[in-house]
C-alpha cells in the first residue's frame, strides 16, 4: 500500500518528537512536512530541535527543512502538537484549508462538534466531524485525543462502565515531568519534590472523562452522568503518569468480574490497526506494580496498566493505573485516531460531506 503523506505541526516539541519516532517507520503514513514556530522555520530539523528521545533522530528527518506553520504547501493529513493557545488559532486554519487535523491539544476537545476519541472507547463519536463547518465547506476537520491522564484512566474505566455502570470516580494523579513539554518544569522546582498543581489539569481530567464515556445520540454526545473529583500532582518521574482511582458502581461487582471485564476488553482486535495494542488494559497482579519505570512500555507504550485492585473504604473498589504520557497519552493516541479514520475512509483527500454522511458513518461504526 502506498503510504499517505502526513505533516507534523509543532514537530520540534516533546510530542512532535514522539510523532516522528512513531511515524517514521509506520506502514500507512510517511512524514513529508514538519512545521514549528518562527524560531525554527527555515532551519534544518536537526538544528532546530533538541532531540530528547532515546532512539536516534532519523537522518532523513534531520535533513528536512522546518516549514512555516501555514496550510499552503502542507499535506492534507496533519498531526498537531501545539500549545492550546496557538492551536486555537492555527488548527481551524488547517481544517478550513481541507486538512484532517488530528490534534493533541486541549483547544477543541470540549467543543460540541469536535470528537474527543479513544478508538477502543468511543469510536462511535467520530460522526461528529460531519457536523463541523470546516467539513461542510472544505472537507477538512479536527479530531482530538484526550489529556494524557484522561486516556489511561478512561481505558481502565470503560470496560467497568459498560458492564456495571459507574456513579462516582475519585482520582489522584502522579504525573511525569515530560507531560509539561520541554524544557517544562524547572529542575529546582521538581527534583526531590512534588508539585500539587498543574494548571487546568483537574478540570480537563474531569470534563474529558465524562465526554469520553458519554453516549452519541445521533447528533451530539451526552456526557456520562457520574460524580468525579480529581487531584493532579507533578512528580519527579521522566515518563509515565500514575493514577490512584476509587470507584462507586451502579451494580455491585466482584473482584473476578472486574478482572474479567478488563481482560475481555479488546474492541479493536482483528481490525488491523497497526498501533492498537493486543490488550488495551493489562492487569498486573504483583503488589508493588504498576511502576512507571517497569510498566510504561507495555503494549509498545499503548496499553493502560492496572494493578492493586482492592476494596475501597469510601467507594466500592480502588486500583492504580499507569500509562505512557507521550505515547498513549499523546502521539500514539493521535496516530491510532488517524488509523481508525483511515480504516473508515475518512483520511483521504478532502471531499465535502453530503447530508447523509453522519448516518452513513454511524452505520459503518455500528
Ligand atoms: N507532553 C505530553 O505528555 C503531552 C501529552 C498530551 C498532550 N500534550 C499537548 O500537546 C501539545 C504539545 O505539547 P509538548 O509537550 O510537545 O510542547 P512543547 O515541547 O513545548 O512543544 C511545542 C511545539 O509547538 C511549537 N510552537 C510554539 N509556538 C508556535 C507557533 N507560534 N507556531 C507554530 N508552532 C509553534 C514549538 O516550536 P519551536 O520549537 O519552534 O518553539 C514546538 O514544536 C500541548 O498542547 C500539550 O498540552 C502534551
Amino acid at each position: 500500500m502506498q503510504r499517505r503523506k502526513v505533516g507534523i505541526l509543532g514537530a520540534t516539541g516533546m510530542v512532535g518528537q514522539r510523532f516522528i519516532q512513531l511515524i517514521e517507520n509506520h506502514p500507512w503514513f510517511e512524514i513529508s512536512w514538519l512545521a514549528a514556530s518562527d524560531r525554527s522555520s527555515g532551519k534544518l530539523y536537526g538544528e532546530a530541535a533538541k532531540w530528547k528521545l532515546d532512539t536516534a533522530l532519523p537522518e532523513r528527518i534531520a535533513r528536512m527543512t522546518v516549514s512555516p506553520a501555514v496550510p499552503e504547501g502542507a499535506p492534507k493529513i496533519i498531526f498537531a502538537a501545539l500549545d492550546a493557545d496557538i492551536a486555537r488559532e492555527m488548527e481551524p486554519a488547517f481544517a478550513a484549508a481541507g486538512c484532517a487535523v488530528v490534534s493533541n491539544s486541549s483547544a477543541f476537545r470540549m467543543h460540541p462538534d469536535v470528537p474527543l476519541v479513544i478508538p477502543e472507547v468511543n469510536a462511535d463519536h467520530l460522526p461528529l466531524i460531519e457536523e463541523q463547518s470546516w467539513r461542510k465547506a472544505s472537507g477538512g476537520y479536527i479530531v482530538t485525543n484526550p489529556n494524557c491522564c484522561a486516556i489511561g484512566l478512561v481505558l481502565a474505566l470503560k470496560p467497568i462502565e459498560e458492564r456495571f455502570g459507574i456513579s462516582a470516580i475519585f482520582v489522584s494523579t502522579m504525573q511525569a515531568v515530560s507531560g509539561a513539554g520541554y524544557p517544562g518544569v524547572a529542575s529546582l522546582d521538581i527534583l526531590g519534590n512534588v508539585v500539587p498543581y498543574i494548571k487546568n489539569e483537574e478540570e480537563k481530567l474531569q470534563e474529558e472523562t465524562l465526554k469520553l464515556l458519554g453516549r452519541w445520540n445521533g447528533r451530539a454526545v451526552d456526557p456520562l452522568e457520574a460524580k468525579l473529583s480529581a487531584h493532579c500532582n507533578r512528580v519527579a518521574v521522566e515518563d509515565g503518569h500514575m493514577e490512584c482511582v476509587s470507584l462507586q458502581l451502579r451494580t455491585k461487582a466482584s473482584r473476578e468480574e472486574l478482572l474479567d471485564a478488563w481482560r475481555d476488553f479488546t474492541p479493536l482486535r482483528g481490525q488491523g490497526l497497526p498501533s492498537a495494542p493486543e490488550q488495551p488494559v493489562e492487569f498486573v497482579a504483583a503488589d508493588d506494580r504498576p511502576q512507571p519505570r517497569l510498566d510504561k512500555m507495555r503494549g509498545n507504550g499503548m496499553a493502560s496498566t492496572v494493578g492493586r485492585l482492592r476494596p475501597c473504604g469510601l467507594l466500592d473498589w480502588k486500583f492504580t493505573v499507569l500509562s505512557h504520557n507521550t505515547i498513549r497519552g499523546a502521539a500514539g493516541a493521535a496516530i491510532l485516531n488517524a488509523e481508525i479514520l483511515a480504516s473508515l475512509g475518512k483520511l483521504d483527500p478532502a471531499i465535502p460531506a453530503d447530508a447523509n454522511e453522519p448516518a452513513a458513518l454511524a452505520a459503518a461504526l455500528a
Side-chain angles (χ1 to χ4, degrees), residues 1-6 26-30 76-79 100-102 117 119 123 126 129-130 135 141 143 268 271-275 333-349 351 361 364-365:
M1 188 207 285
Q2 200 183 358
R3 296 197 295 164
R4 292 170 165 88
K5 293 198 184 322
V6 303
H26 194 284
W28 296 1
F29 305 131
E30 180 188 354
K76 290 293 182 211
I77 303 170
I78 297 292
F79 290 102
V101 179
V102 186
V117 171
L126 283 170
I129 61 174
E130 309 301 352
R135 180 74 170 158
Y141 60 84
V143 166
L268 299 179
Q271 293 191 29
L273 306 183
S275 304
I335 294 167
L336 187 55
N337 278 353
E339 290 171 6
I340 197 161
L341 285 161
S343 76
L344 293 165
K346 294 290 164 185
L347 265 195
D348 295 314
I351 307 156
L361 183 49
L365 286 161

Side-chain angles (χ1 to χ4, degrees), residues 309-331:
L309 176 64
R310 58 217 191 277
C312 175
L314 291 176
L315 303 178
D316 292 321
W317 287 98
K318 58 184 173 181
F319 54 87
T320 304
V321 184
L322 171 78
S323 57
H324 195 303
N325 54 295
T326 60
I327 302 181
R328 187 65 209 219

Side-chain angles (χ1 to χ4, degrees), residues 184-255:
V185 191
S187 56
L188 279 179
D189 286 340
I190 196 70
L191 279 176
N193 202 14
V194 174
V195 181
Y197 175 68
I198 304 173
K199 193 174 174 199
N200 297 333
E201 196 79 350
E202 292 174 354
E203 294 81 355
K204 286 187 213 166
L205 182 52
Q206 290 171 182
E207 61 188 11
E208 290 179 21
T209 296
L210 301 180
K211 180 172 178 180
L212 287 157
L213 293 171
R215 289 202 196 293
W216 167 248
N217 67 18
R219 291 297 323 159
V221 173
D222 299 323
L224 180 75
E225 282 186 28
K227 287 194 287 183
L228 200 168
S229 174
H231 293 247
C232 291
N233 305 288
R234 185 76 68 197
V235 298
V237 165
E238 193 184 347
D239 290 312
H241 287 353
M242 198 114 118
E243 303 171 66
C244 294
V245 185
S246 286
L247 290 185
Q248 185 170 60
L249 305 181
R250 294 198 184 274
T251 307
K252 296 287 172 221
S254 68
R255 175 185 165 84

Side-chain angles (χ1 to χ4, degrees), residues 10 12-15 36-37 39-40 81-82 86 90 178-179 181-182 325-326 329:
T12 49
M14 290 301 293
V15 177
S37 76
R39 294 179 287 280
S40 306
L82 298 167
I86 299 154
M90 219 164 254
S178 60
Y182 185 84
N325 54 295
T326 60

